[in-house]
Amino acid sequence: MLSEYFPVLLFLAVAAVIGVALLVLGNLFGPKKPDAEKFEAYECGFEAFEDSRMRFDVRYYLVAILFIIFDLEIAFVFPWATVFGELGLLGLVEMGVFLGMLVIGFVYVWKKGALEWE
């Protein structure tokens, strides 16, 4: 029974060796030009805060959450599109209702001003 897992173990071993070898080679032969800017944290295009407990606008989170919600909702369209021919008219109506609810949510968020950036 263990002989059946040998190809999987061999694949994992080869992948680990290649991964470690690439990291070591990059570290050995890669350019090493330390710079103060390279060691700074990148914070969305503006300078890093002095204090990590400093308050900032909640709209960063709101935009991220809205993107995730609408992106995941759209991800349901792809499996539907692959079996569209088998679903018939009922599948088309169900997806129309689903997309209609998505549009209603988008319009609600838009009217509330959540997409406005000041």
Side-chain angles (χ1 to χ4, degrees):
M1 182 166 156
L2 287 177
S3 64
E4 294 176 10
Y5 289 108
F6 180 72
V8 175
L9 293 175
L10 181 64
F11 177 77
L12 289 174
V14 169
V17 168
I18 289 174
V20 170
L22 289 174
L23 287 173
V24 168
L25 288 173
N27 196 13
L28 288 176
F29 299 114
K32 294 175 183 68
K33 297 178 183 176
D35 190 8
E37 290 183 8
K38 287 185 179 181
F39 294 115
E40 289 184 12
Y42 179 70
E43 296 287 338
C44 300
F46 49 83
E47 294 297 324
F49 301 121
E50 292 86 25
D51 186 15
S52 63
R53 294 177 298 268
M54 184 176 177
R55 288 184 170 206
F56 59 94
D57 203 347
V58 73
R59 285 179 287 188
Y60 291 114
Y61 292 122
L62 185 60
V63 169
I65 289 171
L66 289 174
F67 171 76
I68 290 171
I69 288 171
F70 288 116
D71 190 45
L72 288 177
E73 296 292 334
I74 293 300
F76 287 114
V77 174
F78 292 114
W80 170 80
T82 59
V83 293
F84 175 69
E86 300 170 14
L87 296 177
L89 184 61
L90 180 63
L92 180 64
V93 170
E94 288 176 348
M95 186 52 71
V97 169
F98 176 75
L99 291 176
M101 291 187 330
L102 185 65
V103 168
I104 289 170
F106 180 70
V107 169
Y108 174 77
V109 167
W110 192 356
K111 292 292 182 186
K112 285 289 189 179
L115 301 176
E116 297 295 325
W117 201 264
E118 296 172 2

